[in-house]
Amino acid sequence: MKVRVERRIGAQTLWIETGELGRQAAGCCLTGYGDTVVLCAVTTGPPREGIDFFPLSCDYRERYAAAGKFPGGFLKREGRPTPREVLISRLIDRPIRPLFPEGFMDEVQVQAMVMAADRQNDPDVLAMIGSAAALAISPIPFLGPVGSVRVGLIEGQIVPFPTQEMLDKSELDLVVSGTDEGIVMIEGFAKEVPEDVMGDAIMAAYEYVKQVIDLQKELIAQVQPVKNPFEPLPPSPLYDQLKERYYEEFKQAKQVPGKLDRAQAVEQLKQKALMEMIPDPTAEGAPPIVEFERAWHELERRVVRDLILSGKRPDGRGVKELRPITCKVDVLPRVHGSALFQRGETQAMITVTLGTTRDQQLVDGIMEEYGKKFMLDYYFPPFSVGECRPIRGPSRREIGHGNLAERSVEPVLPDPEVFPYTIRIISDILESNGSSSMATVCGATLGLMAAGVPIRNPVAGISIGLIKESDDNWLLLTDIIGDEDHFGDMDFKVAGTQNGVTGIQLDLKVRSIHEAIIRATLEQAREARIEILRKMLSVISRPRDDISVFAPRLLRTKIDPDKIGMLIGPGGKTIRSIQEKTNSTIEVEDDGTVTIAAYSLEDAQAALKQVEAVTATIEVGKIYDGRVTSIKDFGAFVEILPGKDGLCHISELADEYVANVSDICKVGDTVPVKVIAIDDQDRVKLSRKSALRELAQKQKEAEGGGSSTGATSPPHQPPQRRQPPSHRRRT
């Protein structure tokens, strides 16, 4: 039976439909807003033998046909997931993962496919809503419903489900997920929004989340799903024995300084306990090893949490204390910018590369194609945590962490019209013990300033953890390490400047948190961020005045669009000639913007001079240094601009009588000439004698300290800098 529920939220109607499509899936929903429609389906299977984790997989895919487009390139079929699809898959996963019962290990797969896209309403939040709804109406024991919403901040007003056009004007792009109990996931990026405004926006978004939850409840009431029974595993009988015999020793092992030494101490205690508790695993009645592992992990969780609640963090810090921070810049030769940021046992090596417009990444998909001029790539090699594992392509985690850092730094970058370079940052995590994405944010800021990128404000980031025993008994931890992340209840990352937040990401292991925790976290993160910024600015206080000598030099000018063809020349002959003579690269935009790139400023300036000469307009009254191209009985033809010449009549060559033109000039001579007229047929009339007379007058006035009142060449204007459009003519 087909069931449909709908509700107007924001400017349009959100609807969810089920019962007609995907009927062999455990749950399937069609979700729409505007003309964007997403199909979400969930399936489940028995648990894999021997696993000790919940095998949830979420996959989001965009079909180009949904937007009436063909995939680019030779292959006309979608292939591996794009970075955007990976990021949205993670966005679907994060709010639903904490809402499965503890101990549930059946395999669950969530799939979301965009079926129609209007290019204004982003399908990502619809995929989140549809996936949660499909789980809620399936037999899977899911502890939903859970709603999601995107909001923008436009002229001080919170706008739910903003279109792409609205987001371009918004100060905030915020996605919030929650249940009836509270908020379960946050991801947002902002233009230095203050903490109190961010807190208000989160709570305003949560009110819309409740409306989405109510819509899902209507759907559930009509479908009336029958849930599969699930009994959580009973506490391990070994837990109490392990706690009684090894709790105190475990506490001591967990307080050993240093990540690797601490892990070794815990492993030694574990082997000791295993030998004493199960000396012979094959003996009759011996507990299975898997039972021991489960009990030991639970005891480790209890020990870490008890230590923190008693005021003793694993590495001995106070709850608001940062780990020691070390910052360096210019740590690598030849690169355009480099930095090293270390906080405790987390270390990020940053490399900055500056390029031209041709180096930008063209991003295609179901939304409009655009050029991406800023890229941050995050790498997490296995040696950073002392592990051995095969090196493949970037993992979902690497893509997610890189995106978080990239979008947290992007709001402070200079406008392309001021700094037209394409910027790429690489963050190599060389050592990790918690919050490497926030170390990347800090290191990226240092690297940009060292590279001479005129950022508006420095950005720093920090992660805040949580130990929550109840709604009234909870504790926030600044700068969490691996154990506190793994055994704690929250990883709340906040990046920003001294003025406000630029990036925020919340992941939970508990079912929800309330407003007091969110606002306290934002304030505690701000205190830590200011302290980190002080340490960063003590190393480099502002962006360098100039870029690296190894970086390309970019100059820009603007020409009349009607003269683009003149600059390019027949078959590209003119522009190629300029590029070859000046060792430069020239790009021409449809609006007449010309960008010149060269590895020396002298070459770039030489190319700029030639571009301006080729496209210049001849001005009456202006003096040019011309080159004589031919001599006739009645005068000389003089080239005053590339490909543009005029006639200097014999009567205009000199004040005195001239019997023969060759007495005054020869072919190839450079002579000053003044444009005295341009007739209706664009024929240019020149005068050498007028030019000499005017130049002599200027010389006389200069020697006498006077100023000239005659017609002069206008002063050279610096190249105008403009943002290139998305469509460009390439040569």
Side-chain angles (χ1 to χ4, degrees):
M1 180 181 70
K2 181 177 177 180
V3 175
R4 180 185 174 101
V5 295
E6 58 184 44
R7 175 173 297 203
R8 188 174 183 85
I9 304 177
Q12 301 185 66
T13 299
L14 172 68
W15 55 269
I16 308 173
E17 189 178 283
T18 188
E20 183 178 24
L21 305 176
R23 291 178 295 182
Q24 294 188 40
C28 184
C29 287
L30 207 59
T31 307
Y33 191 85
D35 284 340
T36 297
V37 180
V38 182
L39 177 73
C40 301
V42 299
T43 51
T44 186
R48 305 175 202 164
E49 186 176 353
I51 65 169
D52 59 354
F53 62 93
F54 171 40
L56 169 66
S57 61
C58 298
D59 284 289
Y60 168 90
R61 293 291 187 274
E62 294 178 342
R63 302 287 185 257
Y64 280 71
K69 298 174 66 176
F70 278 87
F74 292 102
L75 298 177
K76 298 303 177 184
R77 176 173 180 161
E78 294 82 359
R80 65 181 183 182
T82 64
R84 170 179 160 84
E85 289 172 324
V86 169
L87 293 171
I88 297 174
S89 297
R90 285 170 55 87
L91 206 58
I92 294 169
D93 182 296
R94 286 161 47 207
I96 63 176
R97 187 172 289 273
L99 299 179
F100 288 88
E102 188 172 354
F104 182 74
M105 293 187 184
D106 287 10
E107 189 156 10
V108 175
Q109 185 177 36
V110 178
Q111 291 181 277
M113 297 184 295
V114 181
M115 310 304 290
D118 58 16
R119 304 195 193 183
Q120 279 298 312
N121 296 289
D122 200 315
D124 56 358
V125 173
L126 299 182
M128 298 170 72
I129 294 170
S131 298
L135 284 167
I137 63 172
S138 74
I140 300 170
F142 178 66
L143 305 177
V146 55
S148 301
V149 70
R150 167 179 274 111
V151 298
L153 181 62
I154 304 173
E155 297 180 353
Q157 299 297 315
I158 294 295
V159 179
F161 292 102
T163 62
Q164 290 298 310
E165 185 177 345
M166 292 177 180
L167 284 175
D168 290 340
K169 301 180 291 185
S170 177
E171 294 294 307
L172 177 66
D173 179 2
L174 179 68
V175 177
V176 176
S177 300
T179 65
D180 280 331
E181 298 175 3
I183 291 171
V184 69
M185 195 282 296
I186 302 171
E187 178 156 312
F189 303 95
K191 299 175 181 177
E192 300 181 77
V193 170
E195 277 72 11
D196 57 340
V197 176
M198 179 63 78
D200 293 343
I202 291 170
M203 299 318 298
Y206 181 55
E207 293 304 313
Y208 292 110
V209 167
K210 291 178 182 178
Q211 295 184 39
V212 177
I213 292 172
D214 289 342
L215 186 65
Q216 291 185 16
K217 287 180 177 178
E218 290 181 32
L219 182 72
I220 295 168
Q222 294 190 46
V223 174
Q224 296 183 347
V226 178
K227 295 291 184 179
N228 293 333
F230 172 74
E231 291 293 333
L233 290 173
S236 169
L238 292 178
Y239 174 77
D240 290 334
Q241 299 176 46
L242 287 172
K243 184 176 181 181
E244 181 179 353
R245 296 175 61 175
Y246 302 104
Y247 180 79
E248 292 301 327
E249 286 185 75
F250 215 150
K251 288 174 65 175
Q252 295 302 316
K254 274 296 181 184
Q255 296 178 74
V256 171
K259 174 185 174 182
L260 297 180
D261 291 340
R262 188 162 52 249
Q264 185 178 6
V266 170
E267 181 62 25
Q268 289 175 353
L269 180 61
K270 179 181 177 182
Q271 293 303 319
K272 173 186 172 183
L274 180 60
M275 290 298 297
E276 292 177 357
M277 297 289 292
I278 314 177
D280 183 5
T282 62
E284 185 177 352
I289 299 296
V290 67
E291 191 68 32
F292 174 86
E293 294 285 352
R294 185 164 70 94
W296 185 261
H297 183 271
E298 182 57 31
L299 178 60
E300 187 172 10
R301 178 178 183 274
R302 188 69 265 161
V303 166
V304 171
R305 295 171 71 89
D306 287 348
L307 280 171
I308 294 172
L309 290 171
S310 67
K312 297 177 182 178
R313 298 178 69 173
D315 55 4
R317 286 179 293 142
V319 293
K320 292 187 177 182
E321 185 180 349
L322 290 165
R323 289 175 287 174
I325 293 175
T326 302
C327 304
K328 294 180 181 179
V329 295
D330 304 328
V331 293
L332 298 172
R334 299 288 301 189
V335 298
H336 301 164
S338 63
L340 182 68
F341 181 86
Q342 178 140 12
R343 185 172 59 231
E345 295 169 302
T346 296
Q347 185 181 79
M349 173 69 81
I350 302 297
T351 308
V352 180
T353 307
L354 303 179
T356 69
T357 303
R358 290 186 177 184
D359 295 313
Q360 71 180 352
Q361 181 181 3
L362 293 180
V363 180
D364 193 16
I366 61 172
M367 310 301 277
E368 294 294 338
E369 179 183 314
Y370 64 95
K372 187 177 179 182
K373 292 182 68 67
F374 174 56
M375 294 154 275
L376 193 156
D377 295 321
Y378 167 103
Y379 292 92
F380 193 87
F383 68 77
S384 64
V385 287
E387 293 180 355
C388 296
R389 67 170 182 265
I391 299 174
R392 302 284 187 256
S395 66
R396 289 189 170 195
R397 179 182 179 276
E398 288 174 305
I399 292 173
H401 279 30
N403 178 73
L404 173 61
E406 177 183 297
R407 295 193 65 185
S408 296
V409 172
E410 191 172 24
V412 303
L413 294 178
D415 293 331
E417 58 192 31
V418 175
F419 192 79
Y421 289 86
T422 297
I423 304 170
R424 185 189 181 209
I425 296 176
I426 294 176
S427 174
D428 288 301
I429 304 303
L430 307 183
E431 184 181 3
S432 179
N433 187 16
S435 198
S436 56
S437 62
M438 294 297 96
T440 294
V441 170
C442 300
T445 297
L446 293 170
L448 287 169
M449 292 197 291
V453 180
I455 60 175
R456 298 185 182 93
N457 273 313
V459 182
I462 194 67
S463 184
I464 306 295
L466 170 72
I467 301 296
K468 181 185 176 187
E469 297 295 289
S470 67
D471 285 344
D472 300 320
N473 182 17
W474 49 271
L475 181 67
L476 295 178
L477 304 171
T478 295
D479 188 15
I480 57 175
I481 61 174
D483 276 352
E484 293 167 335
D485 182 11
H486 183 72
F487 296 108
D489 299 319
M490 177 179 84
D491 183 5
F492 200 147
K493 302 181 178 76
V494 184
T497 68
Q498 60 180 347
N499 299 326
V501 176
T502 58
I504 182 172
Q505 187 180 90
L506 166 67
D507 289 320
L508 288 181
K509 295 183 180 70
V510 292
R511 291 188 59 179
S512 67
I513 57 174
H514 49 72
E515 181 178 359
I517 294 177
I518 292 171
R519 292 192 182 273
T521 298
L522 290 172
E523 182 55 35
Q524 193 161 317
R526 182 183 183 279
E527 294 172 1
R529 186 169 76 244
I530 297 302
E531 185 177 347
I532 296 170
L533 284 170
R534 288 196 186 102
K535 294 183 181 295
M536 292 166 55
L537 296 177
S538 68
V539 175
I540 181 169
S541 59
R542 60 189 298 275
R544 295 235 167 88
D545 293 331
D546 197 9
I547 62 174
S548 166
V549 295
F550 300 110
R553 301 287 162 158
L554 298 188
L555 296 178
R556 274 190 171 183
T557 189
K558 188 73 178 289
I559 66 174
D560 185 341
D562 292 338
K563 295 187 176 182
I564 292 176
M566 185 183 301
L567 173 59
I568 293 175
K573 178 180 178 181
T574 304
I575 198 169
R576 279 200 305 270
S577 174
I578 297 174
Q579 291 178 136
E580 290 169 2
K581 290 178 181 178
T582 60
N583 298 314
S584 64
T585 301
I586 302 174
E587 296 180 5
V588 188
E589 312 293 345
D590 291 339
D591 67 348
T593 299
V594 179
T595 303
I596 299 167
Y599 277 96
S600 75
L601 184 59
E602 292 76 15
D603 285 343
Q605 289 173 335
L608 176 64
K609 186 176 180 180
Q610 292 196 37
V611 168
E612 290 177 335
V614 169
T615 59
T617 299
I618 298 175
E619 301 177 29
V620 175
K622 185 174 179 178
I623 296 174
Y624 295 87
D625 288 328
R627 183 177 64 86
V628 179
T629 57
S630 69
I631 291 177
K632 306 295 182 183
D633 292 340
F634 51 83
F637 285 96
V638 182
E639 184 182 56
I640 54 177
L641 290 175
K644 301 175 184 177
D645 58 12
L647 173 65
C648 184
H649 192 267
I650 192 170
S651 63
E652 295 293 337
L653 286 174
D655 287 329
E656 65 275 9
Y657 173 74
V658 177
N660 195 329
V661 174
S662 59
D663 294 340
I664 302 297
C665 60
K666 296 180 175 57
V667 173
D669 287 353
T670 299
V671 295
V673 288
K674 181 178 181 178
V675 178
I676 56 176
I678 302 176
D679 65 16
D680 294 341
Q681 298 179 8
D682 283 339
R683 291 180 298 193
V684 180
K685 298 181 179 180
L686 306 173
S687 173
R688 176 177 175 271
K689 67 180 182 182
S690 295
L692 292 173
R693 191 183 303 137
E694 186 172 318
L695 291 172
Q697 178 66 24
K698 287 182 181 180
Q699 180 67 25
K700 182 178 178 182
E701 291 176 349
E703 291 173 353
S707 60
S708 172
T709 58
T712 62
S713 268
H716 173 71
Q717 299 293 324
Q720 298 180 12
R721 301 182 181 274
R722 297 178 182 270
Q723 183 173 5
S726 58
H727 302 287
R728 53 184 54 79
R729 180 183 285 108
R730 295 175 180 269
T731 303

